[in-house]
Amino acid sequence: MPTIAEGVEFDTVAREWRCKWSSDNEKASLIAVQKALDAILSKVKSVDGVKSVNRVVCGGCLDFKVIVSLEADKFGAWEESSFAPENEFLEAIKGIDGVSVVETQTFTFMPM
């Protein structure tokens, strides 16, 4: 099992895609971001090693996050493919009025 430091093991690596959406126009940007996710969801779920795909939405801080979790030993191959279809999704949401702060992050998960 991979280890970051002594006692800090993990079995899952995740990639997060996140942005801020606007409540303007009856939350039109949130609706559009969800549609962009729906458009690529089957591609994400078909990535070799995917354990889960989760969506987090916060109505208070206006966060929209997609967390794609993979088996740790499969993550490197996905990284080599530039996390496809990450770019497709990010470019789509960058073009939505009301969307800002489009970012990504990689981190580990481990049940405790």
Side-chain angles (χ1 to χ4, degrees):
M1 183 173 303
T3 303
I4 296 173
E6 183 179 336
V8 186
E9 299 174 329
F10 62 95
D11 64 358
T12 303
V13 181
R15 182 74 170 174
E16 180 180 271
W17 307 329
R18 62 180 175 254
C19 67
K20 295 287 188 179
W21 53 275
S22 169
S23 60
D24 294 345
N25 198 18
E26 299 184 29
K27 303 176 185 171
S29 60
L30 174 59
I31 294 166
V33 172
Q34 179 62 52
K35 287 179 180 178
L37 175 59
D38 292 343
I40 56 99
L41 190 55
S42 64
K43 292 179 186 177
V44 176
K45 288 183 173 184
S46 70
V47 170
D48 185 33
V50 166
K51 296 172 79 170
S52 65
V53 179
N54 295 286
R55 187 207 63 219
V56 179
V57 176
C58 178
C61 63
L62 308 180
D63 281 341
F64 186 99
K65 302 177 180 185
V66 178
I67 302 169
V68 183
S69 301
L70 276 79
E71 299 167 18
D73 62 346
K74 302 283 187 171
F75 188 82
W78 190 40
E79 185 175 30
E80 288 174 9
S81 77
S82 300
F83 305 109
E86 177 178 279
N87 192 54
E88 179 182 350
F89 176 69
L90 298 179
E91 289 305 311
I93 67 173
K94 286 177 185 177
I96 297 170
D97 284 342
V99 169
S100 61
V101 195
V102 176
E103 300 175 321
T104 63
Q105 182 177 0
T106 299
F107 50 87
T108 66
F109 269 129
M110 185 65 181
M112 302 307 296

